[in-house]
C-alpha cells in the first residue's frame, strides 16, 4: 500500500471519528442534565490542548516559539476564540438541542461562508458554480428546517441559529490561521488555540457542576476527547502531507454520513424523506465545490 492510499484511508477514518464523536456528546447530555454544551466544550478543549502541546514539546516542535512574536500570539488567540469556540461550542449546542446528525449536516455548509468571504474580499473570482452550489445548499437547509412547509419548523429556532453559527465557525476556523500554518507546526497552532479557547470558556463560565462520575461518563468523555479530537487531528494532519486539500474536502463527506448512520443505530433517529433529501443535497453541494475547487486571485497568494 503506497503512502497516498494509506493516508487517504486514515483521513477518511478521521472524518468518521469526527462524525461519531458527536454521539458520545449526545450520550453525555442524555445521561445527566447538569452536563451542558459549554461544560463539555471547555473540558474537551483544555484537556485536548494540553495533550497536543505536550506532544509538540516531546517531538521538539517548539510550542512556545509562537509567543515570541506579538502578531502571531494575537493570531493564535483569535483562532481559538473566534474559530474553535464557535465551531465546537455551537456544534455541541445543536447536538443537545437536536442530534449529532443535524449538527454535523448544518456545520457542513461552512465552506460556503469561506467562499462568500473570499468573494467579498476579492480573493476569489466569482464563478457560476459557487452560486449554483450555494443555492443547492440553501435548498437542502430549507428542507431540513421546514420539510418543505413554510408554516412549520421541524427544528427548534435555537438549533437553526447555532447550527448556522457553527457553520460560520467552520469558516473562521479555516480563514484565521491561514498565515500561521506556513510558519508553525499544526500541533502548535491547534494546541494553543484549544487551550486558549478552553481557558476563556472557564473564565466566562467558571462553574463546574457537581456530577456523580460514572464509568459511562468517563467512556463518553474519552470518546469526545480521544476519538473526536486527538486521533483524527493527528491522522488528518499527517494525511495532508500526502493528499491534496480538495481530496481531504471530499473525504469530509464521511463525517455527516457517519453521524447520521450512528444517530440511527444508537439513538434510533427516525429520518423523514425530507431529512434524507435535504442532507443529500447539502452534502452534494459541498462536494460539487470540492470537485472543482475555486482558484484564488493573486491577492490571495500574498
Amino acid at each position: 500500500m503506497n503512502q497516498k492510499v494509506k493516508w487517504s484511508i486514515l483521513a477518511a477514518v478521521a472524518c468518521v471519528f469526527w462524525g461519531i464523536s458527536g454521539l458520545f456528546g449526545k450520550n453525555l447530555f442524555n445521561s445527566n442534565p447538569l452536563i451542558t454544551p459549554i461544560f463539555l466544550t471547555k473540558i474537551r478543549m483544555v484537556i485536548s490542548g494540553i495533550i497536543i502541546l505536550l506532544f509538540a514539546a516531546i517531538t521538539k516542535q517548539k510550542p512556545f516559539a509562537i509567543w515570541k512574536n506579538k502578531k502571531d500570539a494575537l493570531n493564535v488567540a483569535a483562532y481559538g476564540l473566534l474559530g474553535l469556540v464557535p465551531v465546537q461550542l455551537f456544534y455541541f449546542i445543536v447536538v443537545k438541542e437536536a442530534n449529532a446528525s443535524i449538527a454535523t449536516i448544518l456545520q457542513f455548509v461552512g465552506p460556503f461562508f469561506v467562499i462568500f468571504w473570499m468573494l467579498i474580499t476579492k480573493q476569489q473570482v466569482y464563478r457560476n458554480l459557487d452560486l449554483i452550489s450555494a443555492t443547492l445548499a440553501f435548498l437542502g437547509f430549507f428542507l431540513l428546517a421546514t420539510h418543505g412547509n413554510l408554516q412549520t419548523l421541524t427544528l427548534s429556532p435555537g438549533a437553526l441559529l447555532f447550527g448556522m453559527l457553527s457553520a460560520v465557525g467552520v469558516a473562521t476556523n479555516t480563514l484565521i490561521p491561514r498565515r500561521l500554518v506556513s510558519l508553525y507546526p499544526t500541533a502548535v497552532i491547534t494546541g494553543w488555540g484549544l487551550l486558549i479557547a478552553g481557558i476563556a470558556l472557564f473564565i466566562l463560565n467558571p462553574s463546574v457542576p457537581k456530577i456523580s462520575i460514572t464509568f459511562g461518563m468517563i467512556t463518553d468523555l474519552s470518546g469526545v476527547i480521544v476519538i473526536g479530537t486527538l486521533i483524527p487531528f493527528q491522522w488528518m494532519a499527517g494525511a495532508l502531507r500526502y493528499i491534496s486539500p480538495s481530496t481531504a474536502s471530499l473525504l469530509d463527506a464521511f463525517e455527516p454520513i457517519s453521524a447520521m448512520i450512528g444517530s440511527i443505530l444508537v439513538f434510533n433517529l427516525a429520518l423523514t424523506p425530507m431529512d434524507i433529501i435535504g442532507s443529500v443535497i447539502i452534502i452534494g453541494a459541498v462536494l460539487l465545490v470540492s470537485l472543482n475547487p475555486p482558484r484564488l486571485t493573486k491577492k490571495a497568494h500574498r
Side-chain angles (χ1 to χ4, degrees), residues 52-69 72 76 180 183-192:
I52 291 172
L53 288 173
L54 285 173
F55 170 79
I58 292 171
T59 54
K60 299 181 179 179
Q61 297 184 48
K62 301 179 180 179
F64 292 100
I66 199 168
W67 295 102
K68 296 179 180 179
N69 184 294
D72 295 344
V76 77
L180 293 176
L183 302 174
Y184 302 96
T186 309
V188 172
I189 300 168
T190 305
W192 282 118

Side-chain angles (χ1 to χ4, degrees), residues 8-9 11-20 104 108 247-261 283 287:
S8 294
I9 293 172
V13 176
C15 293
V16 171
F17 278 9
W18 276 318
I20 64 176
T104 310
F108 202 61
T247 300
S249 297
L250 293 175
L251 295 174
D252 277 344
F254 282 103
E255 185 176 346
I257 293 171
S258 62
M260 183 181 297
I261 294 174
I283 294 172
L287 293 183

Side-chain angles (χ1 to χ4, degrees), residues 22-71:
L23 303 178
F24 290 102
K26 183 66 172 178
N27 211 38
L28 281 168
F29 299 142
N30 290 346
S31 66
N32 194 317
L34 294 178
I35 299 177
T36 62
I38 192 168
F39 173 70
L40 177 57
T41 303
K42 64 188 181 184
I43 290 293
R44 173 196 194 184
M45 285 179 158
V46 169
I47 294 176
S48 299
I50 291 173
I51 293 174
I52 291 172
L53 288 173
L54 285 173
F55 170 79
I58 292 171
T59 54
K60 299 181 179 179
Q61 297 184 48
K62 301 179 180 179
F64 292 100
I66 199 168
W67 295 102
K68 296 179 180 179
N69 184 294
K70 183 179 180 180
K71 184 177 180 180

Side-chain angles (χ1 to χ4, degrees), residues 7 17 67 112 142 173 184 204 218 222 232 234 268 281 283:
W7 284 103
F17 278 9
W67 295 102
F112 291 104
F142 171 76
N173 188 62
Y184 302 96
L204 180 67
I218 295 174
S222 299
Q234 293 296 332
N268 298 314
I281 290 175
I283 294 172

Side-chain angles (χ1 to χ4, degrees), residues 93-94 97-98 106 141 145 152-165:
I93 289 176
V94 183
E97 287 280 326
L106 294 181
F141 177 82
T152 62
L153 276 178
T154 58
L155 297 175
S156 70
L160 290 173
L161 172 62
F162 286 105
M164 282 297 95
L165 289 177

